[in-house]
Amino acid sequence: MHHPVIERELELKLVLSPERSVPVPARLLYLTDDPYAVHITFHTGSSTPVNWTFARELLVEGVFRPCGHGDVRIWPTRVGDEAVLCMALSSPDGDALLEAPAPSVSAWLERTLRIVPPGTEVDRLGLDAALAELLAPTPADDLWMRDPWPSDESVDGE
């Protein structure tokens, strides 16, 4: 089965203070075989990029209104005349506030929603096929169907 991938490279801004931010190259990734999640990779200049994964539904809602609790919070706002999507990320390693260009994120998100519309994610997981494979009879099952041990009610030699 073919599993489309939807990617988008873009530049986010890591907000250091109200007056200062630094550019952070990032990659948005949506895998149709992981249909409930979105993945963001931040290229911070170190040898290891920083990866975050969270619910696609959270990003969809965050485009329109503040949402999220705990590790990931998203909300739309304006910086000057530019529409941005703010993402506050928290981890044991620290916290980050990032600004993403809202039009770019929204266009990428729309592509994911066209490929896997909301409510159809479960169809992409292949649960029915996996369950059928798991429950399919095997040659060894025939052995278990026969009674290899005499029951208490049988007479010796039967």
Side-chain angles (χ1 to χ4, degrees):
M1 179 178 197
H2 177 63
H3 299 287
V5 173
I6 302 167
E7 295 179 87
R8 173 76 192 244
E9 299 280 340
L10 58 117
E11 187 173 279
L12 306 181
K13 292 178 184 172
L14 174 62
V15 178
L16 302 174
S17 73
E19 302 81 31
R20 186 164 179 252
S21 64
V22 295
V24 177
R27 182 178 73 152
L28 299 172
L29 178 67
Y30 182 74
L31 308 166
T32 57
D33 60 345
D34 186 11
Y36 290 104
V38 293
H39 307 271
I40 302 178
T41 300
F42 303 102
H43 302 284
T44 59
S46 70
S47 61
T48 307
V50 176
N51 297 300
W52 277 78
T53 300
F54 52 89
R56 177 175 72 158
E57 186 176 316
L58 180 66
L59 189 56
V60 168
E61 186 176 341
V63 167
F64 298 103
R65 65 185 116 335
C67 67
H69 302 283
D71 295 349
V72 180
R73 292 176 291 124
I74 302 172
W75 66 96
T77 191
R78 294 194 79 71
V79 175
D81 59 351
E82 184 181 354
V84 298
L85 195 59
C86 291
M87 291 183 275
L89 307 175
S90 297
S91 79
D93 296 326
D95 301 324
L97 175 60
L98 296 137
E99 294 175 347
S104 298
V105 173
S106 294
W108 173 80
L109 197 52
E110 282 181 36
R111 288 177 53 210
T112 75
L113 295 169
R114 278 195 303 273
I115 285 250
V116 181
T120 67
E121 294 92 347
V122 74
D123 300 337
R124 293 291 180 145
L125 295 177
L127 294 178
D128 290 337
L131 189 56
E133 182 179 336
L134 184 64
L135 298 175
T138 65
D141 292 337
D142 288 339
L143 296 174
W144 292 106
M145 299 304 268
R146 290 186 250 141
D147 188 6
W149 295 280
S151 70
D152 293 338
E153 299 164 2
S154 67
V155 178
D156 287 335
E158 279 187 13

